[in-house]
Amino acid sequence: MNRNLLTILLLFSVFFVNSQVVINEIDADNPGSDTKEFIELKSDVPNFSLDGYVIVLFNEGTIASYNAIDLDGYVTDANGIIHFGNSGVTPSPSIVVSANYFQNGPDVAALYQANSTDFPFGTSPTTLNLIDAIAYSNSNTTTASNLMTALNITVSTPDIETTSSISKSIQRKNDGTYEVKAPTPGMPNDGSGIVFNYITVSTSQSSYNEGDSFNFVFTASMPVQNETLIINFTLNNGNFDMSDFSGGLTVSIPVGQTVGQTGIILLDDGIDEGDEEMKFAFQPLPTGYLANNDNIVYRIYDANFATDPWGTPLNPTYNIVTPTIPAGYYDSLEGLSGNALKMELQNIIANPSVVRLHSYADIWEILKSSDRNPLNNNQVWCMYIEAPMAKLDQQNTSSIVGKWNREHIFCQSRGGFDVAQGDTADGINIWTTTSAASTVDGVSDAHHIRAESGQENSSRNNKNYGPTNTSTVYAGPSGNQGSWKGDVARALFYMAVRFDGLNVVDGDPSEYLPSTTIASGNIGDLATLLLWHNQDPSDDFEMNRNNYIYTWQMNRNPFIDHPSLVDYIFGANFNQPWSATLSTQTHNENKVAVYPNPAADYLIISGLEGTSKVEIFTITGQLVQSQIFENQVRININLNSGMYLVNVTNGTQSTTKKIIVK
């Protein structure tokens, strides 16, 4: 071999070996919400091409990959540094990933010479083409032992973050060991290297309305040197484009200065396109300058939203929305009572030849119409928090902060509901059949799924409902007005009829705990739900919701159409024949609740305001007990077994209920 050629090959070999790239820093767990996570690489030489590299994130629980970041097209900077992370990281990451993208651990992050396509979700760890890997944990007592064995890693570094702790990251030292200290994204961990001039962009607000004008202000960390700095940027994002604004997309900072700005006017096009998001993004900056923040999303509220003529649940209206009940829909219920009435009602709302089952992913689209805020159709009404949220804030990542989600009123764990594998949104025209026996289908029954704040959805978890909040009982956020309580009750009564194996029961049935793997099918508390049903009667918001869901599922919630059915199936009128004429009760009568039924040693009368009188008669008309009360009362009874009539008078209106005493 030619000696000169051999020398060149040896030099190239040495250069390749010494031009290694390693994982230099990782911050997978932040105090509070994980919105400043990042992973940083460092090459031995500056401006090192990362073509052919991929970062793979492995989960210890599954011993498999859960994310992969392909690095083709990226190059380390003059210090040999590059980092990837959340939009909140400064200086701005080269690749922005969603919040909570990196799991807290114990897990492993690995760097391979490969492509992301080589590591689809669920790929087992391998040492083939492995360049570097770091094992980390958020505990002093746990490690990713299975992954460490598979990847020949001997050291795991804990990074323990609490809500009140100072943010820290795991950083590689020059000797190859690791330490945990304050994060240093985008710069060498030892504080050495070239100091870049960082450009920060800012505005006065994070959200604007169509028609607003504002300035983007650009600030350099050091005065501009040598020649005027020209900065170009874009604002396009999805449907938001050049037709939505006017103003320049270029700004300059003169030599010796640190600040430049340009103005933007958001155009009101007079069309309801829905709220949009504008995304600021730097175009490539000149050598020596780096973006301190980038890929910033701004909310742009449409000035042309629509409203509905009915009220929100917090300020309800009645009888504006007309029920779209098909002719004869409930006719077969006439004259039935007790279990026969319940069974026939199930035959209607679970008829497998009529009722349609849509995918769980379709629920997003359904809720955007069924749960829209009557005051602004670009928002959904969140039930428990009694407030609207923008439709744009749909939760599509693991972060629940500021997002709304799909709340199962009959919680999934208690009902045994399950999302089908490969579940995707297919639209209203794609559906399958369902039946009362297929309880698992409750996962996508929109009659009991509501739009809700992700954080409040998490707080509710799998708790029962009841009068006060406990570790197993949910009574709503502190200070709310309970405008959702009747809706919850009627949704649960619907589910207990719609699906076999689902029951609304007395008390707090807490059989299902996190350690339990079998769903109980039970939820409570029946007495509370009967009270809520009467205190919070069905309004126009709920009726419109019922009408809209019918267009998808081809079934209705009968307890919204005919609230009196609740008492005939779950309450005081059980075993009494039902007739549709009973559904036209006065507002006062709809509100009166007398329970439990059957009773033993007490009765509760509720749902009224002011002074009322309760009288208990034998079936032959003999008065056996009487009491005057305010608002609601619990009265002790000492009666022989049998049937009695309970007459409740409030002002000029009177209601009579039949009860059974055991």
Side-chain angles (χ1 to χ4, degrees):
M1 179 179 291
N2 183 288
R3 180 174 295 180
N4 290 334
L5 177 59
L6 177 60
T7 301
I8 291 172
L9 290 173
L10 288 173
L11 287 172
F12 178 81
S13 177
V14 171
F15 177 81
F16 180 80
V17 171
N18 290 336
S19 298
Q20 186 59 278
V21 59
V22 296
I23 297 174
N24 197 49
E25 186 173 356
I26 185 168
D27 190 354
D29 190 9
N30 308 143
S33 300
D34 290 340
T35 57
K36 293 186 177 181
E37 308 164 317
F38 69 93
I39 187 168
E40 177 184 270
L41 304 182
K42 185 178 187 302
S43 59
D44 288 342
V45 296
N47 306 312
F48 182 78
S49 172
L50 296 174
D51 287 348
Y53 287 86
V54 61
I55 294 171
V56 182
L57 306 177
F58 290 103
N59 175 260
E60 171 68 8
T62 60
I63 319 178
S65 65
Y66 66 90
N67 273 325
I69 306 174
D70 199 296
L71 304 182
D72 286 349
Y74 292 91
V75 179
T76 62
D77 63 21
N79 289 320
I81 298 292
I82 190 170
H83 67 292
F84 314 95
N86 303 151
S87 60
V89 175
T90 56
S92 181
S94 295
I95 295 178
V96 175
V97 297
S98 60
N100 292 290
Y101 188 86
F102 300 90
Q103 295 180 1
N104 291 348
D107 290 310
V108 165
L111 178 67
Y112 287 89
Q113 278 192 308
N115 295 302
S116 58
T117 53
D118 299 320
F119 292 91
F121 179 87
T123 302
S124 298
T126 176
T127 56
L128 181 65
N129 297 323
L130 178 66
I131 302 300
D132 192 25
I134 180 170
Y136 63 91
S137 175
N138 61 352
S139 167
N140 282 317
T141 59
T142 58
T143 63
S145 56
N146 293 307
L147 293 172
M148 292 172 68
T149 298
L151 296 173
N152 296 326
I153 303 173
T154 58
V155 176
S156 176
T157 306
D159 175 14
I160 304 170
E161 306 278 359
T162 65
T163 302
S164 59
S165 70
I166 298 173
S167 183
K168 302 179 292 292
S169 67
I170 301 170
Q171 302 179 29
R172 184 187 184 97
K173 297 196 293 185
N174 292 332
D175 62 5
T177 61
Y178 298 96
E179 61 182 336
V180 178
K181 61 180 185 179
T184 61
M187 58 188 298
N189 297 335
D190 61 4
S192 64
I194 300 170
V195 178
F196 293 99
N197 196 343
Y198 289 102
I199 307 300
T200 302
V201 62
S202 61
T203 58
S204 58
Q205 300 171 198
S206 60
S207 62
Y208 294 93
N209 298 314
E210 284 186 344
D212 288 349
S213 60
F214 63 94
N215 289 334
F216 280 116
V217 179
F218 298 81
T219 305
S221 59
M222 297 181 294
V224 171
Q225 302 294 317
N226 301 323
E227 61 182 358
T228 298
L229 171 62
I230 305 298
I231 300 171
N232 296 303
F233 61 94
T234 61
L235 297 177
N236 287 9
N237 184 42
N239 292 329
F240 187 90
D241 55 32
M242 296 288 290
S243 66
D244 293 304
F245 68 94
S246 65
L249 298 178
T250 298
V251 69
S252 61
I253 303 178
V255 173
Q257 301 297 309
T258 58
V259 177
Q261 61 182 339
T262 187
I264 298 293
I265 300 174
L266 299 171
L267 304 178
D268 182 356
D269 56 13
I271 302 171
D272 181 11
E273 300 173 302
D275 299 336
E276 296 176 303
E277 290 183 324
M278 174 181 71
K279 184 177 182 179
F280 175 94
F282 279 106
Q283 294 298 284
L285 290 165
T287 302
Y289 295 93
L290 291 179
N292 194 47
N293 58 340
D294 198 4
N295 298 297
I296 308 165
V297 175
Y298 298 87
R299 178 63 49 82
I300 310 300
Y301 292 110
D302 199 314
N304 305 285
F305 57 83
T307 61
D308 293 312
W310 55 87
T312 68
L314 199 57
N315 296 287
T317 58
Y318 302 92
N319 303 317
I320 293 176
V321 177
T322 302
T324 57
I325 306 171
Y329 191 72
Y330 294 114
D331 284 0
S332 60
L333 302 180
E334 289 293 315
L336 299 180
S337 63
N339 289 326
L341 176 63
K342 180 180 179 181
M343 181 59 66
E344 182 55 29
L345 190 58
Q346 184 186 74
N347 291 340
I348 295 171
I349 65 175
N351 185 345
S353 65
V354 174
V355 179
R356 300 175 178 181
L357 175 69
H358 292 276
S359 74
Y360 185 45
D362 279 323
I363 292 294
W364 290 117
E365 181 179 350
I366 294 174
L367 294 181
K368 287 176 182 178
S369 291
S370 67
D371 290 24
R372 68 183 182 272
N373 177 15
L375 302 179
N376 185 334
N377 71 311
N378 294 323
Q379 302 170 337
V380 290
W381 184 264
C382 293
M383 178 176 63
Y384 299 139
I385 65 172
E386 300 179 318
M389 294 183 72
K391 290 180 179 179
L392 280 177
D393 290 325
Q394 172 184 320
Q395 182 183 334
N396 50 25
T397 68
S398 56
S399 176
I400 62 175
V401 179
K403 303 295 183 181
W404 63 273
N405 206 335
R406 300 163 291 184
E407 158 71 348
H408 288 84
I409 294 176
F410 202 118
C411 41
Q412 289 183 257
S413 55
R414 291 181 180 276
F417 312 138
D418 191 23
V419 180
Q421 188 173 6
D423 180 86
T424 57
D426 304 310
I428 194 170
N429 294 319
I430 305 297
W431 48 272
T432 59
T433 58
T434 178
S435 70
S438 187
T439 305
V440 69
D441 292 346
V443 72
S444 58
D445 193 312
H447 283 301
H448 86 118
I449 303 175
R450 294 290 290 265
E452 188 51 60
S453 153
Q455 290 167 286
E456 195 60 34
N457 187 1
S458 177
S459 296
R460 188 269 166 126
N461 199 2
N462 65 351
K463 295 179 181 179
N464 294 288
Y465 294 97
T468 57
N469 286 312
T470 70
S471 61
T472 59
V473 173
Y474 182 76
S478 175
N480 79 83
Q481 296 185 35
S483 63
W484 50 273
K485 291 183 175 179
D487 303 48
V488 160
R490 287 178 285 275
L492 291 179
F493 294 143
Y494 162 87
M495 292 295 283
V497 174
R498 167 68 176 85
F499 293 103
D500 294 337
L502 298 186
N503 306 287
V504 180
V505 298
D506 287 314
D508 173 16
S510 295
E511 305 97 326
Y512 191 92
L513 299 173
S515 59
T516 307
T517 58
I518 300 176
S520 67
N522 295 329
I523 198 166
D525 164 48
L526 176 58
T528 298
L529 295 169
L530 288 169
L531 176 61
W532 288 359
H533 166 66
N534 286 283
Q535 287 180 333
D536 174 33
S538 177
D539 55 28
D540 287 317
F541 183 93
E542 199 175 0
M543 184 60 75
N544 175 72
R545 194 174 191 280
N546 199 18
N547 289 346
Y548 182 74
I549 292 171
Y550 175 76
T551 66
W552 280 74
Q553 296 184 182
M554 303 306 293
N555 72 345
R556 302 182 63 84
N557 184 333
F559 305 110
I560 297 173
D561 292 334
H562 294 297
S564 63
L565 275 169
V566 170
D567 283 334
Y568 283 79
I569 293 179
F570 298 97
N573 298 102
F574 187 80
N575 278 332
Q576 295 181 32
W578 186 83
S579 174
T581 57
L582 298 174
S583 67
T584 60
Q585 295 168 315
T586 66
H587 185 65
N588 182 66
E589 186 169 352
N590 274 328
K591 292 172 64 178
V592 178
V594 180
Y595 60 93
N597 187 24
D601 52 4
Y602 72 91
L603 279 175
I604 295 175
I605 295 95
S606 64
L608 298 169
E609 296 180 358
T611 303
S612 301
K613 181 180 181 180
V614 57
E615 297 173 301
I616 303 177
F617 298 89
T618 65
I619 200 68
T620 59
Q622 179 183 359
L623 177 65
V624 293
Q625 196 163 337
S626 176
Q627 186 171 330
I628 294 175
F629 64 95
E630 295 288 330
N631 300 327
Q632 69 178 42
V633 68
R634 171 177 171 142
I635 60 174
N636 295 322
I637 57 175
N638 184 18
L639 303 173
N640 295 327
S641 299
M643 182 175 292
Y644 294 82
L645 301 177
V646 179
N647 181 262
V648 182
T649 303
N650 178 264
T652 60
Q653 293 182 313
S654 181
T655 300
T656 300
K657 306 279 189 179
K658 289 183 180 179
I659 65 164
I660 296 173
V661 175
K662 294 185 290 186

